[in-house]
Amino acid sequence: AGMPVEARELDIVFYPARYHKFYNSIFALGDICDLIPDEIADVCILEEPEHLNWYRAPGCSSWSSKFCHCIGVIHTNYKAYARDHAPAGFLAAPLLAGVNSLVVQANCHRVVKLSGVLQEFAPMSECIENVHGIRETFLKEGMRRRMSTIPVNEKGRAYFIGKLLWAKGFDQLLELEAAFRERTGEYFEIDIFGAGPDEGEIQRAYLDDNDDESGILNSIHKWSGSSSSRGRCQSRLPANFLGPSDHSSLAGDAYSIFINPSLTEVLCTTTAEAIAMGKWAIVPSHPSNAFFAQFPNCLSYRNRREFVSTLKYAQANDPPQLSEELARLLSWEAATMRCVRAAAISKRDAARNERISRMREEKTLKKTLSGLWNGSKGDFQSMNVHRMSSSSSSSERTAGDVSIGLITP
């Protein structure tokens, strides 16, 4: 990151944790706050505060009580994951959303969401801001394009890079291929980089001849109104699966169009990287892509018809060059400044947080004291008090003696 002074002061501490296969999650073993000395507990930034606090060991203190100011940065749409992938997702999703809201409010003074796709967590203390940056490698490629005076004569290819999951928009990409063919008479060629759990199924959907009428591509042919004879003569999509690759290796002029049809992202890092490298980025008009709308080489579409027009325009034109000011918005330096601004709260909000914290402490104290007199244990203790009070006349016990008797089993 080019921060040698800060690197010398960086201290990485690992906490004990355990992976739970059923939840596909890692949960801490014990209280993480205990690993942090009180004298350095000032400001804390929690990545995924909801995930971090789904399970807390008994007796753990809240992050907001440990630190003077605690910021939660939320960048994963767990509600959508639960809805689409969990058993009985229509029930699990709202339940998880409620739990997320509770644990975030209990542990964060300020909540920063990367985009508007995410659920509401703390209406009075949350904001939407992109606080993530990209590596300098991508910014240097964009600078190279700005400095280059040689025109790109050959038409750049389209590509996608990311994890091979249906949730990444591969079903939408199939529909976009069909829409493009319906209007132009041919599919558009695309190179796909990545690997993932759904890789085999996705490759079969894109590359199989699909003579079986139950195939995914045949279903799309029927949706698009293509005749069966026309569908069979060109049923194999011109998609090349090239395996995993680092996005920076695609720098240069061979690829000029990045297509990302996903609707499940919160804020896609590969889209930011493609924009920084000076490539066209074609994305759906969606809250997760709102931050990218300010860049001239980001083309958004609202429907399949607009996608076809957008892709044809990108194929016929070179991407515009990013100004230095716009390119800087994608850097970690600019992202850090946005994080500082988003994390700040007013004096009024700080006083309100302190008042709420004090009320919580008083409520906890009252609950603890009331537990001495209510319930089964409280009834037993009351009986002891009554018995000891009855015998006080003969033994001449003092009030202090009775109090001491209360803490004796």
Side-chain angles (χ1 to χ4, degrees):
M3 304 170 70
V5 177
E6 290 80 0
R8 287 196 294 268
E9 299 178 1
L10 182 64
D11 186 17
I12 299 177
V13 179
F14 293 92
Y15 61 86
R18 178 184 176 187
Y19 174 75
H20 291 257
K21 187 175 181 180
F22 179 79
Y23 298 103
N24 197 28
S25 298
I26 297 174
F27 295 136
L29 298 175
D31 188 0
I32 304 176
C33 290
D34 287 344
L35 303 177
I36 305 170
D38 292 337
E39 57 270 16
I40 65 171
D42 187 13
V43 176
C44 177
I45 299 178
L46 296 179
E47 288 280 337
E48 298 199 11
E50 74 283 38
H51 189 172
L52 194 60
N53 292 285
W54 279 338
Y55 172 76
R56 297 295 303 277
C60 289
S61 57
S62 67
W63 291 90
S64 56
S65 62
K66 175 75 174 183
F67 290 86
C68 299
H69 189 49
C70 188
I71 306 105
V73 178
I74 303 176
H75 51 77
T76 304
N77 196 349
Y78 288 111
K79 181 181 178 182
Y81 285 161
R83 182 186 64 239
D84 298 336
H85 303 290
F90 67 98
L91 293 176
L95 178 61
L96 181 61
V99 172
N100 288 346
S101 180
L102 289 174
V103 298
V104 168
Q105 290 184 40
N107 289 279
C108 299
H109 298 112
R110 185 68 164 165
V111 180
V112 180
K113 303 191 300 185
L114 291 194
S115 75
V117 173
L118 294 163
Q119 68 168 86
E120 189 177 79
F121 293 90
M124 299 296 293
S125 60
E126 69 179 34
C127 66
I128 298 173
E129 188 62 84
N130 174 18
V131 296
H132 280 192
I134 59 173
R135 301 199 322 254
E136 191 176 357
T137 305
F138 302 103
L139 297 172
K140 287 182 177 179
E141 167 61 15
M143 184 182 298
R144 182 197 68 80
R145 283 186 174 246
R146 286 196 301 273
M147 302 295 292
S148 176
T149 58
I150 303 174
V152 181
N153 296 322
E154 110 181 60
K155 184 175 71 172
R157 296 171 61 85
Y159 74 100
F160 168 87
I161 186 168
K163 200 168 186 178
L164 297 193
L165 294 168
W166 283 112
K168 292 294 183 180
F170 283 97
D171 49 351
Q172 286 93 349
L173 187 58
L174 280 172
E175 295 177 358
L176 296 175
E177 285 274 12
F180 192 85
R181 181 172 185 252
E182 184 183 13
R183 293 181 63 83
T184 66
E186 60 182 3
Y187 297 119
F188 61 87
E189 188 171 358
I190 186 169
D191 290 345
I192 298 174
F193 296 88
D198 299 336
E199 181 176 358
E201 187 177 343
I202 291 172
Q203 288 195 24
R204 286 193 297 271
Y206 278 73
L207 303 180
D208 283 358
D209 289 336
N210 284 286
D211 289 331
D212 181 6
E213 290 296 327
S214 64
I216 296 176
L217 194 55
N218 276 311
S219 300
I220 293 177
H221 286 153
K222 294 176 183 177
W223 162 81
S224 63
S226 301
S227 62
S228 58
S229 60
R230 185 180 179 187
R232 288 175 189 276
C233 70
Q234 201 182 22
S235 61
R236 183 184 175 93
L237 292 176
N240 306 302
F241 290 84
L242 303 178
S245 179
D246 189 282
H247 200 177
S248 62
S249 67
L250 305 183
D253 300 325
Y255 293 97
S256 64
I257 304 172
F258 172 71
I259 300 176
N260 182 13
S262 176
L263 297 174
T264 61
E265 303 287 351
V266 174
L267 189 86
C268 188
T269 304
T270 52
T271 300
E273 294 168 351
I275 292 173
M277 287 192 290
K279 303 180 186 295
W280 287 116
I282 301 180
V283 297
S285 181
H286 190 257
S288 63
N289 296 317
F291 176 80
F292 304 125
Q294 61 188 307
F295 299 96
N297 56 331
C298 179
L299 304 176
S300 61
Y301 60 90
R302 292 172 294 181
N303 49 51
R304 300 181 186 96
R305 182 184 295 270
E306 284 191 3
F307 170 81
V308 175
S309 301
T310 298
L311 180 55
K312 290 175 67 177
Y313 176 82
Q315 290 175 335
N317 296 274
D318 291 335
Q321 295 181 355
L322 283 181
S323 65
E324 291 186 13
E325 291 77 15
L326 282 176
R328 184 181 177 278
L329 294 178
L330 297 168
S331 68
W332 272 110
E333 182 182 3
T336 302
M337 294 307 299
R338 290 195 297 268
C339 182
V340 171
R341 290 195 299 269
I345 60 175
S346 64
K347 292 182 178 180
R348 182 178 180 180
D349 289 338
R352 181 176 61 86
N353 290 338
E354 186 177 354
R355 187 166 59 251
I356 292 174
S357 178
R358 191 162 52 246
M359 290 173 60
R360 285 177 180 170
E361 292 177 0
E362 292 175 356
K363 186 176 180 181
T364 302
L365 180 60
K366 289 179 181 178
K367 187 176 180 181
T368 303
L369 293 176
S370 64
L372 294 174
W373 308 100
N374 299 327
S376 57
K377 292 184 178 180
D379 294 340
F380 175 75
Q381 291 166 344
S382 298
M383 290 171 59
N384 284 344
V385 172
H386 179 72
R387 185 182 304 112
M388 296 170 74
S389 299
S390 300
S391 58
S392 61
S393 57
S394 58
S395 58
E396 296 183 354
R397 295 180 183 267
T398 65
D401 293 331
V402 175
S403 298
I404 294 173
L406 286 175
I407 62 173
T408 303

